[in-house]
Amino acid sequence: MLKVAMIGANLQGRRRGPVIQELPESELVLVTAGHLERAQVLADELQCEASTGWDEAVQRDDIDAVVICTPTHLHLPAALAAIENGKHVLCEKPLGLDVEEAEKIEQAARAAGVILKCGFNHRHHPGLQQAHQWIKDGEIGEVMFARCRYGIGGRPGYENEWRADPKIVGGGHLLEHGIHAIDLFRWFVGDPSQVFGYTNTSFWDMEPLEDNAFALLRTQTGVVFSLHSSLTQWTNLFSYEIYGHEGYIQVEGLGGSYGVEKASLGKRDFTAPFSDQTIQYRGADRSWYEEWREFVAAVQENREPLANGVDGVEALRVVHAIYESAQDGKVVLLSQDQ
Amino acid sequence: MKVGIIGAGRQGWRRAQAIDVSRDDITFVSDIDAQAAENLAVVYRANHTVNWQDVVRDSNVDSVIVCTPPLFHAEIVTSALENGKHVLCEKPLARNLKEAQDIFHASVSNAVKLKCGFNYRHFPAIKQAKQWCDQGVIGDLLLMRCRHGIGGRQDYDSEWRVQSSVSGGGELIDQGSHVVDLFRWFMGEFSEVFGITETSYWDIEPVEDNAFGLLRQPNNRISSFHVSWTQWKNLFSLEIIGSKGSISVDGIGGSYGSQEVVLAGRNDADSDMNKRIEFRGVSETWIAEWQEFSDAIKDNREPMANAKDGLEAVRLIDALYRSSELGQPITIN
Ligand SMILES: NC(=O)c1ccc[n+]([C@@H]2O[C@H](COP(=O)([O-])OP(=O)(O)OC[C@H]3O[C@@H](n4cnc5c(N)ncnc54)[C@H](O)[C@@H]3O)[C@@H](O)[C@H]2O)c1
């Protein structure tokens, strides 16, 4: 039985807590938050203990792993404290405010020999898992390009949340949301070698953070990724398309307000009617459960998890390259041996 | 109106039909392929010739439609304008910026009309979208996205479309011309572009089969497009997001699917402004485009998609090609 403490009891904590209790191989024993009352509410719901700060979570001998769901600027100190005490860590994305912070966490985990997983839950959505499988099985042949349009409409008062506070987060909507699309591209295709991007703040009062980011990424072999990450997508949208020499894949929706998740596979054919096979994934979003299951399995088998610390670092590297590009108005080259 | 058609290929036939439906007279047809010229001329009881010069000089011709590959546009269009003919020229206006500028100057110094064949402006769903935008229904326009493409045909590699000396480029100047024209039409002018072109599948190097573009306006609004000859399932998708709502257009009829336009309000604002219109059946633009041109002549006004629009689209395409080559964004003057 993996005994777990959760640091952070807000939005993400509410999603992650229940699945820890649901999985038979794990048990949530402690929830901590900045304010005890907040931790207590969630702890009562999940029937575990509550405290403040993270000292207790990282120091108690009966705790094997911690889940970090704090605002981004606390990821580094919380993760390092946990790792120093030999705890396995599942840390929310983005792993740190910038690449350096993420690297510190990744290197510390490697040195300590603990498992580190970055919370790229999209990899655990069934449609995206299916897409990955199709690519691996060669169903669409050599990949030529991918397109992702990913956006939400924000919510009234968004500009007052910590997500819109530049002191707490390392970037705007690209870092908050778009990073998932970048992680998926790295998973599906590989690392980009050059990056160009534009960002702007066109609607929400959250300068200097962006509410829209547009990027074009290219790999050494000429695969292009077109990404638009938006906080002004009034009707929520998730659409990921991947085209190869032999066919194409489209994943649409993530359940909930994004609509039913669907994965389609079609083949190149110049004469036959257009046809594709589509799988619809009904029911609730199970990505949090699947992600947790993978983390626990990695701990038990003492192996790298899917979306590990390196993935956390590399996705962040791409995000910041896009920011740099947008700032300087230039293409940013990423060296290949990173 | 008496009309001469130069270039009796695919477009020549389409345009001829629209002119005929509009009760204008096709009096002269030209094609370097004598048989092609004759085949079309016979249908509409017109004269035919292998020399386009005969058409632009004929006093029995009021306006000329230029449907040759782009290589010949500049020479034919400028000559027609100088001979006092109104011109409807297929898109792209020309292969490159220099030729497009020549055409533009010829149009400014002659008292005739020039329309560039940006027929997408005449699709009913796109017209509806434009009307909503002009009425301020979705507020201030924040951004546009367009994904457009076709899977090509088995023997794409051997058509004139893939010889840059004839066409001016590949998919970027082909379908991309329409896209940048629509972006300008909705959003206004752009001051910087970044482009990537790739030859990912077809054996057509140095011409591209895929092109990606990001376009920036002086107020830092960004629009994004991708056009593709490897879009295995044909696609046209145009999205416009404004401060109060959004509009999307899907399909342009035929193999691209029937045309549909959807209007949606910002979730926390006006939720009862949602509308969806599907335009069933043939989505054709040739007649509407021809009528707009002939009205412009009758009313002595600038046609929609005039010489300036043709030129500015070529300017953006040219900048996108240069950007792709240099690997850096390009400022538009
Ligand atoms: N608006 C659109 O959506 C659209 C669609 C297709 C093509 N186009 C444009 O229309 C034009 C023609 O394309 P198409 O598909 O009809 O090509 P096509 O190859 O079917 O026809 C071109 C014709 O022009 C003739 N021609 C070539 N040189 C000539 C010359 N010097 N004088 C007279 N005739 C000459 C050829 O013999 C041929 O018959 C191009 O500019 C193209 O970009 C526009």
Side-chain angles (χ1 to χ4, degrees), chain A residues 144-145 147 149 153 156 196 198-200 202-203 212 214 216 218 222 224 226 228 232-235 237 241 243-245 247-248 268 270 274 276 329-331, chain B residues 142-143 145 147 151-152 154 192 194 198 200-202 210 212 216 220 222 224 226 230-235 239 241-243 245 255 266-268 327-329:
Chain A
M144 300 183 290
F145 63 80
R147 294 188 290 240
R149 295 167 298 142
F196 184 84
Y198 284 125
T199 60
N200 63 22
S202 59
F203 182 85
N212 276 284
F214 301 80
L216 288 174
R218 192 178 179 279
V224 179
S226 163
H228 177 209
T232 62
Q233 182 72 39
W234 310 130
T235 308
L237 173 71
E241 301 164 285
Y243 276 68
H245 282 191
Y248 57 92
R268 184 199 74 225
F270 296 114
F274 294 130
D276 38 48
K330 284 199 198 123
V331 166
Chain B
L142 306 182
L143 62 96
R145 289 192 295 248
R147 295 168 298 141
Q154 219 129 29
E192 187 179 289
F194 180 79
E198 292 287 340
S200 305
Y201 177 83
W202 296 97
N210 277 279
F212 302 80
R216 173 150 93 157
N220 201 26
I222 313 295
S224 160
H226 174 212
T230 63
Q231 179 68 40
W232 306 132
K233 182 179 180 180
N234 294 3
L235 174 72
E239 299 165 289
I241 296 182
S243 56
S255 56
R266 198 177 77 220
N267 41 19
D268 58 333
Q328 294 301 345

Side-chain angles (χ1 to χ4, degrees), chain B residues 9-11 31 67-68 72-73 90-91 119 160-161 178:
Chain B
R10 210 159 52 112
Q11 282 306 106
D31 199 298
C67 304
T68 65
F72 305 103
H73 287 187
E90 272 301 345
K91 65 89 228 186
N119 63 300
W160 64 256
R161 261 163 262 273
H178 287 296

Side-chain angles (χ1 to χ4, degrees), chain B residues 65-85:
Chain B
I65 301 204
V66 180
C67 304
T68 65
L71 162 62
F72 305 103
H73 287 187
E75 194 186 1
I76 299 175
V77 173
T78 45
S79 173
L81 294 170
E82 281 158 9
N83 279 281
K85 312 297 184 201

Side-chain angles (χ1 to χ4, degrees), chain A residues 115-126:
Chain A
I115 304 297
L116 171 64
K117 180 166 164 70
C118 182
F120 289 131
N121 68 301
H122 289 48
R123 293 202 192 197
H124 300 275
H125 269 276

Side-chain angles (χ1 to χ4, degrees), chain A residues 123 127-143 184-190 242-244 246-249 265 267 294 306:
Chain A
R123 293 202 192 197
L128 293 160
Q129 289 252 326
Q130 180 64 71
H132 185 258
Q133 191 62 44
W134 278 330
I135 295 169
K136 230 175 74 188
D137 293 347
E139 292 283 358
I140 62 167
E142 187 184 328
V143 174
L184 290 171
F185 181 74
R186 291 190 59 257
W187 190 38
F188 292 151
V189 175
I242 310 131
Y243 276 68
E246 308 302 325
Y248 57 92
I249 295 167
L265 172 67
K267 296 287 185 170
E294 162 65 9
L306 184 63

